[in-house]
């Protein structure tokens, strides 16, 4: 039985990953360590709460004692590290928490994994680890910076982050690399493009636009709306992580993307059409500072070396996603309360 420590499992991708893994494999146990920040919602995990293979532990990845206690109590042999502050706009207004959670939190997890898995943890030259252990860092294509009209990010593209969020994720990636190089810790990094799907916090583009359409509220499009993102259904991302865990070469980075580039304004128009609204709701608002113009992932390595490929077409993925938000308006409204509501007001004022 593989015991996977999933950090940030109450968030968007983490919760989808837990469903994916428990639904796909019989022989896994999941320990979900999550601090339940504004973005963590245990309601996302109702469907697995009673599964004996699933355990939730409330805790902060920056808390060394809490992380060590999880390793000790559950015999963790795999880490999939999702927990992070994940929203670029928040990183522009409050960068500190991004440095703390995304960089220091990663450092704590790496150190704990090294000490628990190394066969002689007090010997600084020992590079031998328990059989089968693996640390996987869930990273983002944003570490590569922005592209012009052409080109794609490969795993060899220099790291060139532009926002405090992407700079913190890049720093974390470099720590992971350092633990691989210096200590021989068996690590992987996955760098995925923008995800969409169920349980995404409605501060991100797609769920925010769906909700506003349903409420007849204006749709805030940053600048000209011609920024391009490479969208991937969250389940395809989860399958890619599972593939890297099973087949990835130790120490390697894998880019994950769906070859599915769309300008933001196209996404907004698609959501308008799917919800029966018209373009009069669109509002072009002041652009995000340092806004990356285009991301595009070259996924040749993971597709050719590991045999992963996205299963969703964008049409099917988007239609299911819009339907999920239509069917789960109560979830959305419960999420959009408290701190998020204050945040929404400071971001968009009375737009
Ligand atoms: P999210 O914001 O929805 O969820 C983050 C989760 O981490 C929440 O459950 C939150 O409570 C938890 N968390 C935050 N700080 C914590 C701490 N200090 N200790 C423990 N738990 C903490 O994020 P997401 O969109 O699911 O992204 C998950 C990961 O995937 C992140 O590392 C992100 O950088 C990466 N990623 C996201 C995307 C995307 O499109 N969303 C794309 C590529 C990579
Ligand atoms: P987002 O979902 O925040 O993801 P990221 O910044 O990590 O790519 O935003 C996706 C794109 O949508 C990005 O170019 C910013 C843009 N955007 C808007 O135009 N309006 C909005 O209200 C939001 C949240 C995003």
């Amino acid at each position: 039985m593989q015991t996977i420590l999933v950090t940030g499992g109450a968030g968007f991708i983490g919760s989808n990953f837990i469903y994916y893994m428990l639904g796909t494999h019989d022989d896994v146990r999941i320990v979900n360590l999550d601090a339940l920040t504004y973005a963590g919602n245990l309601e996302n995990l109702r469907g697995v709460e009673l599964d004996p293979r699933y355990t939730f532990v409330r805790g902060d990845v920056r808390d060394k004692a809490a992380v060590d206690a999880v390793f000790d109590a559950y015999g963790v042999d795999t880490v999939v590290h999702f927990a992070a502050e994940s929203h670029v706009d928040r990183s522009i207004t409050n960068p500190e928490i991004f440095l703390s959670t995304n960089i220091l939190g990663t450092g704590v997890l790496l150190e704990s994994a090294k000490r628990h898995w190394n066969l002689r943890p007090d010997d600084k030259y020992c590079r031998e680890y328990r059989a089968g252990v693996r640390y996987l860092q869930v990273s983002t294509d944003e570490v590569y910076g922005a592209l012009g009209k052409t080109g794609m990010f490969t795993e060899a593209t220099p790291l060139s982050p532009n926002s405090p969020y992407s700079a913190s994720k890049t720093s974390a990636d470099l720590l992971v690399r350092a633990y691989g190089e210096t200590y021989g810790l068996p690590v992987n990094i996955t760098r995925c493009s923008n995800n969409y799907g169920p349980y995404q916090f409605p501060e991100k583009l797609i769920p925010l636009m769906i909700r506003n359409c349903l409420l007849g509220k204006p749709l805030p499009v940053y600048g000209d709306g011609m920024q391009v993102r490479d969208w991937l259904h969250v389940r395809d991302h989860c399958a890619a992580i599972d593939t890297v865990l099973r087949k990835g070469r130790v120490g390697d980075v894998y880019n994950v993307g769906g070859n599915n580039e769309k300008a933001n304004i196209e996404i907004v128009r698609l959501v308008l059409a799917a919800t029966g609204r018209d373009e009069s709701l669109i509002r072009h608002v002041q652009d995000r500072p340092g806004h990356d113009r285009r991301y595009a992932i070259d996924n040749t390595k993971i597709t050719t070396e590991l045999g992963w490929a996205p299963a969703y077409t964008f049409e099917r993925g988007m239609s299911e996603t819009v339907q999920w938000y239509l069917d789960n308006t109560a979830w959305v409204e419960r999420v959009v309360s408290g701190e998020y509501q204050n945040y929404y007001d400071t971001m968009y004022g009375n737009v």
Side-chain angles (χ1 to χ4, degrees):
M1 186 78 118
Q2 180 187 24
T3 301
I4 307 178
L5 169 57
V6 171
T7 68
F12 164 48
I13 307 175
S15 56
N16 277 284
F17 181 72
I18 292 171
Y19 282 113
Y20 180 88
M21 292 303 281
L22 292 176
T24 314
H25 304 284
D26 291 327
D27 54 348
V28 295
R29 230 167 30 128
I30 303 270
V31 183
N32 171 18
L33 177 70
D34 196 301
L36 300 182
T37 68
Y38 80 94
N41 185 354
L42 282 182
E43 199 182 331
N44 300 357
L45 292 157
R46 285 245 170 93
V48 292
E49 255 168 18
L50 300 177
D51 190 321
R53 297 172 299 158
Y54 169 75
T55 307
F56 172 69
V57 177
R58 185 170 189 174
D60 194 312
V61 290
R62 293 166 297 179
D63 180 344
K64 189 171 158 18
V67 171
D68 280 342
V70 168
F71 272 86
D72 288 335
Y74 299 100
V76 170
D77 51 36
T78 306
V79 173
V80 182
H81 182 32
F82 293 98
E85 290 292 333
S86 69
H87 192 38
V88 173
D89 291 320
R90 286 178 186 259
S91 83
I92 295 168
T93 48
N94 184 18
E96 290 87 348
I97 182 79
F98 285 74
L99 311 188
S100 166
T101 294
N102 297 1
I103 306 174
L104 299 181
T106 299
V108 168
L109 273 172
L110 286 165
E111 187 57 27
S112 195
K114 170 169 79 70
R115 287 204 69 79
H116 283 84
W117 294 344
N118 194 285
L119 295 184
R120 293 188 300 284
D122 295 324
D123 173 359
K124 73 176 178 185
Y125 297 109
C126 179
R127 294 168 67 88
E128 290 171 62
Y129 290 85
R130 272 173 35 200
V133 296
R134 191 66 66 98
Y135 176 101
L136 189 147
Q137 178 77 4
V138 181
S139 187
T140 163
D141 60 356
E142 304 193 25
V143 300
Y144 296 120
L147 291 165
K149 283 195 166 54
T150 58
M152 292 179 126
F153 299 132
T154 72
E155 289 80 0
T157 300
L159 303 178
S160 185
N162 292 317
S163 72
Y165 162 68
S166 54
S168 68
K169 292 294 290 184
T170 307
S171 308
D173 283 12
L174 294 180
L175 270 178
V176 175
R177 176 190 153 83
Y179 269 69
E181 293 293 321
T182 301
Y183 304 112
L185 188 72
V187 297
N188 284 114
I189 299 174
T190 54
R191 296 193 178 129
C192 190
S193 56
N194 285 62
N195 286 210
Y196 68 97
Y199 301 114
Q200 187 166 30
F201 197 85
E203 66 187 348
K204 303 280 169 66
L205 180 72
I206 290 177
L208 184 143
M209 295 299 167
I210 296 173
R211 174 170 185 266
N212 284 16
C213 280
L214 295 182
L215 297 176
K217 286 178 71 173
L219 310 181
V221 173
Y222 298 162
D224 62 3
M226 292 306 291
Q227 303 83 2
V228 171
R229 298 293 182 262
D230 176 357
W231 293 94
L232 184 73
H233 193 277
V234 63
R235 238 184 118 73
D236 282 330
H237 185 190
C238 296
I241 292 170
D242 184 26
T243 303
V244 173
L245 283 179
R246 285 181 292 110
K247 301 194 209 161
R249 205 179 313 126
V250 168
D252 271 19
V253 174
Y254 293 91
N255 283 354
V256 183
N259 289 325
N260 184 47
E261 291 181 50
K262 303 275 179 223
N264 293 339
I265 195 74
E266 284 182 73
I267 299 280
V268 170
R269 291 205 174 107
L270 217 147
V271 172
L272 282 166
T275 52
R277 294 284 181 174
D278 68 62
E279 297 201 4
S280 62
L281 284 179
I282 294 176
R283 298 284 185 285
H284 287 274
V285 299
Q286 190 173 358
D287 206 352
R288 171 191 280 176
H291 198 172
D292 289 335
R293 193 67 180 166
R294 176 170 164 262
Y295 302 140
I297 281 273
D298 179 340
N299 66 10
T300 307
K301 182 175 175 182
I302 191 168
T303 52
T304 57
E305 289 186 15
L306 306 188
W308 170 87
Y312 280 80
T313 61
F314 189 62
E315 290 65 34
R316 175 184 154 212
M318 271 304 279
S319 124
E320 284 183 17
T321 299
V322 172
Q323 192 58 48
W324 188 89
Y325 286 94
L326 292 174
D327 293 342
N328 290 277
T329 50
W331 178 91
V332 175
E333 292 317 313
R334 280 197 293 278
V335 169
V336 183
S337 61
E339 201 208 321
Y340 178 67
Q341 196 59 58
N342 302 334
Y343 162 76
Y344 192 96
D345 290 341
T346 50
M347 270 302 296
Y348 301 118
N350 56 5
V351 164

Short mmCIF file of all heavy atoms in Angstrom, two decimals, residues 302-345:
data_model
loop_
_atom_site.label_atom_id
_atom_site.label_comp_id
_atom_site.label_asym_id
_atom_site.label_seq_id
_atom_site.Cartn_x
_atom_site.Cartn_y
_atom_site.Cartn_z
N ILE A 302 6.59 14.56 -21.67
CA ILE A 302 5.69 13.67 -20.91
C ILE A 302 4.86 12.79 -21.85
O ILE A 302 4.57 11.63 -21.51
CB ILE A 302 4.81 14.46 -19.92
CG1 ILE A 302 4.10 13.49 -18.98
CG2 ILE A 302 3.82 15.38 -20.60
CD1 ILE A 302 3.43 14.14 -17.78
N THR A 303 4.54 13.28 -23.02
CA THR A 303 3.72 12.46 -23.93
C THR A 303 4.57 11.34 -24.55
O THR A 303 4.13 10.20 -24.60
CB THR A 303 3.05 13.30 -25.03
OG1 THR A 303 4.05 14.08 -25.68
CG2 THR A 303 1.98 14.20 -24.49
N THR A 304 5.78 11.68 -24.98
CA THR A 304 6.58 10.64 -25.66
C THR A 304 7.29 9.72 -24.68
O THR A 304 7.35 8.51 -24.89
CB THR A 304 7.62 11.27 -26.62
OG1 THR A 304 8.44 12.14 -25.86
CG2 THR A 304 6.96 12.03 -27.74
N GLU A 305 7.81 10.28 -23.57
CA GLU A 305 8.59 9.41 -22.65
C GLU A 305 7.70 8.63 -21.68
O GLU A 305 8.01 7.51 -21.30
CB GLU A 305 9.59 10.24 -21.85
CG GLU A 305 10.73 10.76 -22.70
CD GLU A 305 11.80 11.48 -21.89
OE1 GLU A 305 11.83 11.35 -20.64
OE2 GLU A 305 12.59 12.19 -22.50
N LEU A 306 6.61 9.24 -21.25
CA LEU A 306 5.80 8.57 -20.22
C LEU A 306 4.42 8.11 -20.73
O LEU A 306 3.68 7.46 -20.01
CB LEU A 306 5.60 9.49 -19.00
CG LEU A 306 6.88 10.06 -18.35
CD1 LEU A 306 6.54 10.78 -17.04
CD2 LEU A 306 7.91 8.98 -18.07
N GLY A 307 4.07 8.52 -21.93
CA GLY A 307 2.82 8.03 -22.52
C GLY A 307 1.56 8.72 -22.00
O GLY A 307 0.46 8.25 -22.22
N TRP A 308 1.72 9.86 -21.33
CA TRP A 308 0.53 10.60 -20.88
C TRP A 308 -0.01 11.45 -22.03
O TRP A 308 0.77 11.97 -22.84
CB TRP A 308 0.89 11.52 -19.70
CG TRP A 308 -0.22 12.48 -19.34
CD1 TRP A 308 -1.25 12.25 -18.49
CD2 TRP A 308 -0.39 13.81 -19.84
NE1 TRP A 308 -2.07 13.36 -18.43
CE2 TRP A 308 -1.57 14.33 -19.25
CE3 TRP A 308 0.30 14.63 -20.74
CZ2 TRP A 308 -2.05 15.62 -19.51
CZ3 TRP A 308 -0.17 15.90 -21.01
CH2 TRP A 308 -1.34 16.39 -20.40
N ALA A 309 -1.32 11.59 -22.09
CA ALA A 309 -1.94 12.53 -23.04
C ALA A 309 -3.24 13.00 -22.43
O ALA A 309 -3.89 12.26 -21.69
CB ALA A 309 -2.21 11.85 -24.38
N PRO A 310 -3.63 14.24 -22.71
CA PRO A 310 -4.90 14.71 -22.16
C PRO A 310 -6.07 13.90 -22.73
O PRO A 310 -6.07 13.55 -23.90
CB PRO A 310 -4.99 16.18 -22.61
CG PRO A 310 -3.83 16.45 -23.48
CD PRO A 310 -2.94 15.26 -23.50
N ALA A 311 -7.04 13.60 -21.86
CA ALA A 311 -8.20 12.82 -22.31
C ALA A 311 -9.34 13.74 -22.73
O ALA A 311 -10.19 13.38 -23.52
CB ALA A 311 -8.66 11.89 -21.19
N TYR A 312 -9.38 14.94 -22.15
CA TYR A 312 -10.50 15.85 -22.40
C TYR A 312 -10.24 16.72 -23.62
O TYR A 312 -9.16 17.28 -23.77
CB TYR A 312 -10.68 16.83 -21.23
CG TYR A 312 -11.41 16.23 -20.06
CD1 TYR A 312 -10.76 15.41 -19.15
CD2 TYR A 312 -12.77 16.49 -19.87
CE1 TYR A 312 -11.43 14.86 -18.07
CE2 TYR A 312 -13.45 15.95 -18.79
CZ TYR A 312 -12.78 15.13 -17.90
OH TYR A 312 -13.44 14.59 -16.84
N THR A 313 -11.24 16.87 -24.48
CA THR A 313 -11.20 17.97 -25.44
C THR A 313 -11.64 19.21 -24.67
O THR A 313 -12.34 19.10 -23.64
CB THR A 313 -12.18 17.76 -26.61
OG1 THR A 313 -13.51 17.70 -26.04
CG2 THR A 313 -11.88 16.49 -27.37
N PHE A 314 -11.25 20.37 -25.13
CA PHE A 314 -11.63 21.59 -24.43
C PHE A 314 -13.16 21.77 -24.46
O PHE A 314 -13.77 22.20 -23.49
CB PHE A 314 -10.93 22.79 -25.07
CG PHE A 314 -11.11 24.06 -24.28
CD1 PHE A 314 -10.63 24.15 -22.98
CD2 PHE A 314 -11.76 25.16 -24.83
CE1 PHE A 314 -10.80 25.32 -22.23
CE2 PHE A 314 -11.92 26.33 -24.09
CZ PHE A 314 -11.44 26.40 -22.79
N GLU A 315 -13.77 21.37 -25.57
CA GLU A 315 -15.23 21.55 -25.70
C GLU A 315 -15.95 20.73 -24.62
O GLU A 315 -16.82 21.23 -23.92
CB GLU A 315 -15.69 21.09 -27.09
CG GLU A 315 -15.24 21.99 -28.24
CD GLU A 315 -13.72 22.03 -28.44
OE1 GLU A 315 -13.04 20.99 -28.21
OE2 GLU A 315 -13.19 23.11 -28.79
N ARG A 316 -15.55 19.46 -24.50
CA ARG A 316 -16.21 18.60 -23.49
C ARG A 316 -15.89 19.13 -22.08
O ARG A 316 -16.77 19.24 -21.23
CB ARG A 316 -15.71 17.16 -23.65
CG ARG A 316 -16.24 16.24 -22.57
CD ARG A 316 -15.66 14.83 -22.66
NE ARG A 316 -15.67 14.19 -21.34
CZ ARG A 316 -14.78 13.31 -20.93
NH1 ARG A 316 -13.79 12.93 -21.72
NH2 ARG A 316 -14.87 12.79 -19.73
N GLY A 317 -14.61 19.44 -21.84
CA GLY A 317 -14.20 19.89 -20.51
C GLY A 317 -14.94 21.15 -20.09
O GLY A 317 -15.42 21.25 -18.95
N MET A 318 -15.05 22.10 -21.01
CA MET A 318 -15.71 23.36 -20.66
C MET A 318 -17.21 23.15 -20.47
O MET A 318 -17.81 23.72 -19.58
CB MET A 318 -15.47 24.42 -21.74
CG MET A 318 -14.24 25.24 -21.51
SD MET A 318 -14.19 26.07 -19.90
CE MET A 318 -15.20 27.50 -20.21
N SER A 319 -17.79 22.31 -21.31
CA SER A 319 -19.24 22.13 -21.18
C SER A 319 -19.56 21.43 -19.85
O SER A 319 -20.47 21.83 -19.11
CB SER A 319 -19.77 21.43 -22.44
OG SER A 319 -20.45 20.28 -22.11
N GLU A 320 -18.75 20.44 -19.46
CA GLU A 320 -18.97 19.78 -18.16
C GLU A 320 -18.71 20.74 -17.00
O GLU A 320 -19.38 20.70 -15.98
CB GLU A 320 -18.02 18.58 -18.03
CG GLU A 320 -18.45 17.38 -18.85
CD GLU A 320 -17.54 16.16 -18.64
OE1 GLU A 320 -16.78 16.10 -17.65
OE2 GLU A 320 -17.61 15.27 -19.50
N THR A 321 -17.71 21.60 -17.19
CA THR A 321 -17.34 22.52 -16.11
C THR A 321 -18.45 23.55 -15.89
O THR A 321 -18.86 23.81 -14.74
CB THR A 321 -16.00 23.20 -16.44
OG1 THR A 321 -15.01 22.18 -16.54
CG2 THR A 321 -15.59 24.19 -15.37
N VAL A 322 -18.95 24.12 -16.98
CA VAL A 322 -20.02 25.11 -16.83
C VAL A 322 -21.22 24.43 -16.16
O VAL A 322 -21.83 24.96 -15.22
CB VAL A 322 -20.42 25.73 -18.20
CG1 VAL A 322 -21.66 26.59 -18.06
CG2 VAL A 322 -19.26 26.55 -18.76
N GLN A 323 -21.50 23.20 -16.61
CA GLN A 323 -22.64 22.47 -16.02
C GLN A 323 -22.41 22.22 -14.53
O GLN A 323 -23.33 22.37 -13.71
CB GLN A 323 -22.84 21.13 -16.76
CG GLN A 323 -24.15 20.44 -16.43
CD GLN A 323 -25.37 21.31 -16.73
OE1 GLN A 323 -25.48 21.89 -17.81
NE2 GLN A 323 -26.27 21.46 -15.75
N TRP A 324 -21.17 21.90 -14.14
CA TRP A 324 -20.87 21.65 -12.73
C TRP A 324 -21.15 22.91 -11.90
O TRP A 324 -21.76 22.83 -10.83
CB TRP A 324 -19.40 21.21 -12.55
CG TRP A 324 -19.12 20.75 -11.14
CD1 TRP A 324 -19.26 19.48 -10.66
CD2 TRP A 324 -18.71 21.56 -10.02
NE1 TRP A 324 -18.95 19.45 -9.31
CE2 TRP A 324 -18.61 20.71 -8.90
CE3 TRP A 324 -18.41 22.91 -9.86
CZ2 TRP A 324 -18.22 21.16 -7.63
CZ3 TRP A 324 -18.03 23.37 -8.60
CH2 TRP A 324 -17.94 22.49 -7.50
N TYR A 325 -20.74 24.06 -12.40
CA TYR A 325 -20.99 25.29 -11.64
C TYR A 325 -22.48 25.64 -11.62
O TYR A 325 -22.98 26.16 -10.62
CB TYR A 325 -20.12 26.45 -12.17
CG TYR A 325 -18.66 26.27 -11.75
CD1 TYR A 325 -17.74 25.66 -12.59
CD2 TYR A 325 -18.23 26.66 -10.49
CE1 TYR A 325 -16.43 25.44 -12.19
CE2 TYR A 325 -16.92 26.44 -10.07
CZ TYR A 325 -16.03 25.83 -10.92
OH TYR A 325 -14.73 25.61 -10.50
N LEU A 326 -23.19 25.29 -12.69
CA LEU A 326 -24.64 25.50 -12.69
C LEU A 326 -25.32 24.59 -11.66
O LEU A 326 -26.24 25.00 -10.94
CB LEU A 326 -25.24 25.20 -14.07
CG LEU A 326 -24.89 26.16 -15.20
CD1 LEU A 326 -25.44 25.66 -16.53
CD2 LEU A 326 -25.43 27.55 -14.90
N ASP A 327 -24.81 23.36 -11.56
CA ASP A 327 -25.40 22.40 -10.62
C ASP A 327 -24.98 22.65 -9.18
O ASP A 327 -25.53 22.05 -8.26
CB ASP A 327 -24.96 20.96 -10.98
CG ASP A 327 -25.54 20.50 -12.31
OD1 ASP A 327 -26.51 21.11 -12.77
OD2 ASP A 327 -24.99 19.53 -12.88
N ASN A 328 -23.95 23.45 -9.00
CA ASN A 328 -23.39 23.63 -7.65
C ASN A 328 -23.34 25.09 -7.23
O ASN A 328 -22.37 25.54 -6.61
CB ASN A 328 -21.98 23.00 -7.58
CG ASN A 328 -22.04 21.48 -7.65
OD1 ASN A 328 -22.25 20.82 -6.64
ND2 ASN A 328 -21.88 20.95 -8.84
N THR A 329 -24.40 25.80 -7.55
CA THR A 329 -24.42 27.23 -7.19
C THR A 329 -24.38 27.41 -5.66
O THR A 329 -23.81 28.38 -5.17
CB THR A 329 -25.67 27.94 -7.76
OG1 THR A 329 -26.79 27.15 -7.41
CG2 THR A 329 -25.59 28.12 -9.26
N ALA A 330 -24.92 26.45 -4.94
CA ALA A 330 -24.89 26.57 -3.47
C ALA A 330 -23.44 26.49 -2.98
O ALA A 330 -23.03 27.25 -2.09
CB ALA A 330 -25.72 25.47 -2.83
N TRP A 331 -22.64 25.60 -3.58
CA TRP A 331 -21.20 25.50 -3.24
C TRP A 331 -20.53 26.85 -3.53
O TRP A 331 -19.80 27.38 -2.68
CB TRP A 331 -20.55 24.38 -4.07
CG TRP A 331 -19.07 24.21 -3.84
CD1 TRP A 331 -18.48 23.40 -2.92
CD2 TRP A 331 -18.00 24.88 -4.53
NE1 TRP A 331 -17.09 23.52 -3.00
CE2 TRP A 331 -16.78 24.42 -3.98
CE3 TRP A 331 -17.94 25.82 -5.57
CZ2 TRP A 331 -15.52 24.86 -4.42
CZ3 TRP A 331 -16.68 26.26 -6.00
CH2 TRP A 331 -15.51 25.79 -5.43
N VAL A 332 -20.79 27.36 -4.71
CA VAL A 332 -20.14 28.63 -5.10
C VAL A 332 -20.49 29.72 -4.11
O VAL A 332 -19.62 30.45 -3.63
CB VAL A 332 -20.56 29.04 -6.54
CG1 VAL A 332 -19.99 30.41 -6.89
CG2 VAL A 332 -20.12 27.99 -7.54
N GLU A 333 -21.76 29.82 -3.77
CA GLU A 333 -22.18 30.92 -2.90
C GLU A 333 -21.63 30.76 -1.48
O GLU A 333 -21.33 31.75 -0.81
CB GLU A 333 -23.70 31.07 -2.89
CG GLU A 333 -24.26 31.54 -4.24
CD GLU A 333 -23.45 32.68 -4.88
OE1 GLU A 333 -23.10 33.66 -4.19
OE2 GLU A 333 -23.14 32.58 -6.09
N ARG A 334 -21.49 29.52 -1.03
CA ARG A 334 -20.87 29.33 0.30
C ARG A 334 -19.40 29.71 0.28
O ARG A 334 -18.86 30.24 1.24
CB ARG A 334 -21.04 27.88 0.76
CG ARG A 334 -22.42 27.59 1.34
CD ARG A 334 -22.44 26.31 2.17
NE ARG A 334 -22.23 25.13 1.35
CZ ARG A 334 -23.16 24.52 0.64
NH1 ARG A 334 -24.40 24.99 0.62
NH2 ARG A 334 -22.89 23.43 -0.07
N VAL A 335 -18.75 29.41 -0.85
CA VAL A 335 -17.32 29.75 -0.95
C VAL A 335 -17.15 31.27 -1.04
O VAL A 335 -16.26 31.86 -0.42
CB VAL A 335 -16.71 29.06 -2.21
CG1 VAL A 335 -15.33 29.60 -2.49
CG2 VAL A 335 -16.65 27.56 -2.00
N VAL A 336 -18.05 31.86 -1.81
CA VAL A 336 -17.95 33.31 -2.02
C VAL A 336 -18.58 34.04 -0.84
O VAL A 336 -19.60 34.69 -0.96
CB VAL A 336 -18.64 33.73 -3.33
CG1 VAL A 336 -18.46 35.22 -3.58
CG2 VAL A 336 -18.03 32.96 -4.48
N SER A 337 -17.96 33.92 0.30
CA SER A 337 -18.48 34.61 1.47
C SER A 337 -17.26 35.00 2.31
O SER A 337 -16.14 34.66 1.97
CB SER A 337 -19.40 33.68 2.27
OG SER A 337 -18.65 32.57 2.70
N GLY A 338 -17.47 35.72 3.38
CA GLY A 338 -16.37 36.02 4.29
C GLY A 338 -15.21 36.71 3.60
O GLY A 338 -15.39 37.70 2.89
N GLU A 339 -14.04 36.16 3.84
CA GLU A 339 -12.84 36.83 3.37
C GLU A 339 -12.86 37.05 1.86
O GLU A 339 -12.41 38.08 1.36
CB GLU A 339 -11.60 36.02 3.74
CG GLU A 339 -10.38 36.89 3.74
CD GLU A 339 -9.08 36.15 3.43
OE1 GLU A 339 -8.93 35.02 3.90
OE2 GLU A 339 -8.26 36.74 2.72
N TYR A 340 -13.36 36.05 1.13
CA TYR A 340 -13.35 36.21 -0.33
C TYR A 340 -14.17 37.43 -0.73
O TYR A 340 -13.78 38.18 -1.63
CB TYR A 340 -13.89 34.97 -1.02
CG TYR A 340 -13.91 35.18 -2.52
CD1 TYR A 340 -12.71 35.29 -3.22
CD2 TYR A 340 -15.09 35.36 -3.21
CE1 TYR A 340 -12.68 35.55 -4.58
CE2 TYR A 340 -15.08 35.60 -4.57
CZ TYR A 340 -13.88 35.68 -5.25
OH TYR A 340 -13.87 35.95 -6.60
N GLN A 341 -15.28 37.64 -0.07
CA GLN A 341 -16.13 38.78 -0.42
C GLN A 341 -15.37 40.09 -0.21
O GLN A 341 -15.42 40.99 -1.06
CB GLN A 341 -17.40 38.76 0.43
CG GLN A 341 -18.50 39.65 -0.11
CD GLN A 341 -18.90 39.26 -1.54
OE1 GLN A 341 -19.30 38.13 -1.78
NE2 GLN A 341 -18.77 40.18 -2.47
N ASN A 342 -14.65 40.21 0.91
CA ASN A 342 -13.87 41.42 1.15
C ASN A 342 -12.81 41.58 0.06
O ASN A 342 -12.59 42.67 -0.45
CB ASN A 342 -13.14 41.35 2.51
CG ASN A 342 -14.12 41.15 3.62
OD1 ASN A 342 -15.28 41.53 3.49
ND2 ASN A 342 -13.68 40.54 4.71
N TYR A 343 -12.18 40.44 -0.26
CA TYR A 343 -11.14 40.47 -1.28
C TYR A 343 -11.73 40.94 -2.61
O TYR A 343 -11.17 41.77 -3.32
CB TYR A 343 -10.54 39.07 -1.40
CG TYR A 343 -9.80 38.86 -2.68
CD1 TYR A 343 -8.53 39.40 -2.86
CD2 TYR A 343 -10.36 38.14 -3.72
CE1 TYR A 343 -7.86 39.25 -4.05
CE2 TYR A 343 -9.70 37.97 -4.91
CZ TYR A 343 -8.45 38.53 -5.07
OH TYR A 343 -7.78 38.39 -6.25
N TYR A 344 -12.89 40.40 -2.92
CA TYR A 344 -13.53 40.76 -4.19
C TYR A 344 -13.76 42.27 -4.25
O TYR A 344 -13.47 42.92 -5.25
CB TYR A 344 -14.86 40.02 -4.34
CG TYR A 344 -15.42 40.11 -5.73
CD1 TYR A 344 -15.19 39.10 -6.66
CD2 TYR A 344 -16.15 41.22 -6.14
CE1 TYR A 344 -15.66 39.19 -7.94
CE2 TYR A 344 -16.62 41.33 -7.43
CZ TYR A 344 -16.37 40.30 -8.33
OH TYR A 344 -16.84 40.39 -9.62
N ASP A 345 -14.24 42.82 -3.18
CA ASP A 345 -14.52 44.26 -3.16
C ASP A 345 -13.25 45.09 -3.33
O ASP A 345 -13.25 46.09 -4.04
CB ASP A 345 -15.23 44.63 -1.85
CG ASP A 345 -16.64 44.07 -1.82
OD1 ASP A 345 -17.16 43.73 -2.90
OD2 ASP A 345 -17.21 43.94 -0.72
#
